[in-house]
Amino acid sequence: MTSPKSLAAKLRADESIVTAWASLAAPILGELLGRSGFPAVTFDMQHGQQDFGEVREGMSFLSLTDAHKIVRIPVGEMATASRALDIGAECVIAPMINSVEDAQAFAEAMKYPPVGKRSWGPHRAAMLKGQSLPDYLATANDETVALAMIETPEAIAALDDILDVPGIDGIFVGPSDMSLTLSNGAKLDPNGEKTIEVCAELAERTRAKGKIAGVFCMSPERVHESRKQGYRLMAYGFDVSLFMGAATAAIDACR
């Protein structure tokens, strides 16, 4: 069941979306997260254990729910961005976009001409949306969301130029890598004062450009804080932590 309003339309209308984060090589987990009430599920191919086939199956299972489909690709694998769209992703997050050149390569893989250079082959995506191929083409560039991950001082310095690249719809902030790069590897501090300050600045600059701001959150409190900062796509609900937490609570209740 596909939601009647696209993820792109919701985000551009300033709606707030919390996405679960799926990393385990078990495609049905995406469906379970969708059925639990998460409005979106992100399949992580950068640090997750799943391969492309498992992500493909996971998105097929997720189509049985109303949750939106998001994929984070591995670093530099722009061809995988196009393939993720072809199998039904509504949004792709590309890590370590540090320059205009990185952003241009990402946008080219995400958008059809004249905006980009995406190659034709969205048969599965159109099928999951219940669209004809001509109808898919007519809406694809508007309804596929390209989010560039901002995680380094270089990316922060280049942010305005990255956001000006045609086809880049917004950013997604990774606070863990951000804290590592800001400290030159000295500490991992995703909830630190400096990291949160930079996150607030990035949201403000992104929204000033009329673009979408997304961020990974380490707690429900950070989801609420990020929403106040201007973020509209917040990732919270890491599958490993969710299932381990539920399992621990279940066995503790039996002791």
Side-chain angles (χ1 to χ4, degrees):
M1 297 178 290
T2 302
S3 175
K5 191 173 183 181
S6 70
L7 176 63
K10 290 178 179 179
L11 293 172
R12 290 179 183 133
D14 216 29
E15 294 186 32
S16 175
I17 301 291
V18 177
T19 177
W21 204 261
S23 69
L24 296 172
I28 197 172
L29 290 180
E31 179 187 343
L32 297 179
L33 290 166
R35 289 188 183 280
S36 73
F38 277 98
V41 176
T42 299
F43 297 91
D44 184 11
M45 296 184 71
Q46 181 187 8
H47 295 301
Q49 301 173 30
Q50 53 209 329
D51 60 22
F52 186 82
E54 288 157 343
V55 170
R56 180 193 66 232
E57 294 305 306
M59 288 205 292
S60 294
F61 287 136
L62 188 57
S63 294
L64 297 172
T65 79
D66 286 331
H68 296 288
K69 308 172 189 70
I70 304 173
V71 173
R72 179 167 73 169
I73 61 173
V75 176
E77 289 195 9
M78 302 312 174
T80 303
S82 297
R83 293 192 72 195
L85 296 178
D86 284 346
I87 60 171
E90 299 170 70
C91 171
V92 175
I93 299 169
M96 291 293 172
I97 300 297
N98 295 319
S99 66
V100 168
E101 292 74 20
D102 290 343
Q104 288 172 335
F106 178 40
E108 287 178 356
M110 288 289 294
K111 306 294 183 177
Y112 291 119
V115 180
K117 299 179 180 178
R118 180 182 169 191
S119 182
W120 183 250
H123 299 81
R124 181 58 174 162
M127 186 184 303
L128 291 178
K129 292 187 72 173
Q131 288 184 315
S132 68
L133 291 175
D135 286 344
Y136 179 89
L137 176 60
T139 61
N141 280 358
D142 288 334
E143 294 199 348
T144 53
V145 180
L147 298 183
M149 285 201 78
I150 305 299
E151 308 172 87
T152 67
E154 294 81 6
I156 296 171
L159 178 64
D160 291 343
D161 292 332
I162 288 171
L163 289 169
D164 284 340
V165 171
I168 296 297
D169 298 296
I171 66 167
F172 192 88
V173 179
S176 293
D177 276 318
M178 180 74 73
S179 68
L180 278 176
T181 60
L182 288 174
S183 67
N184 197 29
K187 61 180 178 179
L188 181 67
D189 193 18
N191 290 323
E193 183 177 345
K194 176 63 175 178
T195 307
I196 292 174
E197 178 183 314
V198 171
C199 287
E201 174 197 339
L202 293 172
E204 182 178 359
R205 291 171 63 186
T206 299
R207 288 176 66 85
K209 290 278 189 179
K211 299 294 181 77
I212 298 162
V215 64
F216 195 98
C217 299
M218 310 302 290
S219 68
E221 292 75 21
R222 277 299 297 148
V223 171
H224 296 302
E225 291 169 2
S226 297
R227 189 181 289 115
K228 292 177 181 177
Q229 289 176 339
Y231 289 96
R232 289 299 174 262
L233 179 65
M234 284 76 64
Y236 176 72
F238 180 45
D239 56 1
V240 174
S241 299
L242 289 175
F243 286 100
M244 287 184 67
T248 299
I251 191 60
D252 284 348
C254 296
R255 291 194 173 103

